[in-house]
Amino acid sequence: MSWFSDLLFDADSGLDKASQGVKLSVNQDNVMQAARLVKAESEYFRSRVVYWSSVMNESEPMGGDPVSENLHEALQNKLYGEPGSYIDRCYEYADMLDRLATQLGESAKLYGFTDEQVAAQFAAGRIDAEARPVSPPPGRYGHLREV
């Protein structure tokens, strides 16, 4: 395998591990905080996926030769275009985090918290997610140097 294949394999393995789920133990004292943090992380992660998918959609081949163009098309499909692409899988992970936050909110209700208290925690998480910076890529090709 080439270094490029190794890179894609490593990224694929990382997403597989992330998509296997989150193990979390909560109690009455931390269930609301856990719900807020998971919801905030879900919203932040989703915002990053939206941002990077738009960046990837605007990318161009690095050279005008047929190899660069074919590689660019293959990468676009793997990263962005095909069903099961990395972007699709990232959205699935964000959805899984949303479901976990919802389950934590339901657990909080079993501990005696009200719907209003749970909603207030999720609203607080949104503020945390929006406060994180979203940095643009450093150049036309992200961290790669243009030759």
Side-chain angles (χ1 to χ4, degrees):
M1 266 199 289
S2 70
W3 67 270
F4 183 71
S5 298
D6 291 341
L7 175 67
L8 287 180
F9 178 77
D10 288 346
D12 195 36
S13 297
L15 281 173
D16 281 340
K17 289 176 187 173
S19 66
Q20 290 174 1
V22 176
K23 295 179 181 167
L24 183 66
S25 296
V26 294
N27 57 42
Q28 186 173 3
D29 298 327
N30 68 6
V31 67
M32 293 283 277
Q33 181 181 13
R36 177 180 57 83
L37 292 173
V38 170
K39 185 65 174 175
E41 190 60 29
S42 166
E43 290 175 357
Y44 174 71
F45 185 77
R46 189 178 307 279
S47 73
R48 300 301 296 150
V49 173
V50 168
Y51 172 77
W52 284 108
S53 65
S54 69
V55 169
M56 286 189 290
N57 195 32
E58 295 172 3
S59 70
E60 299 173 8
M62 289 184 83
D65 60 286
V67 173
S68 293
E69 291 175 10
N70 289 341
L71 180 60
H72 178 261
E73 183 179 347
L75 277 174
Q76 288 292 89
N77 289 335
K78 182 77 169 168
L79 297 172
Y80 185 80
E82 294 177 347
S85 68
Y86 288 111
I87 291 296
D88 285 352
R89 294 174 69 193
C90 287
Y91 279 119
E92 289 171 8
Y93 182 68
D95 291 344
M96 187 273 304
L97 288 175
D98 281 338
R99 289 189 302 275
L100 176 59
T102 300
Q103 290 172 351
L104 289 166
E106 294 301 316
S107 295
K109 292 175 193 175
L110 294 175
Y111 282 121
F113 292 98
T114 66
D115 289 338
E116 293 79 20
Q117 289 171 313
V118 172
Q121 280 296 314
F122 286 151
R126 282 187 198 95
I127 294 167
D128 291 344
E130 291 172 3
R132 291 182 173 183
V134 176
S135 59
R140 181 171 165 201
Y141 300 113
H143 293 284
L144 298 175
R145 287 185 308 141
E146 187 168 359
V147 180

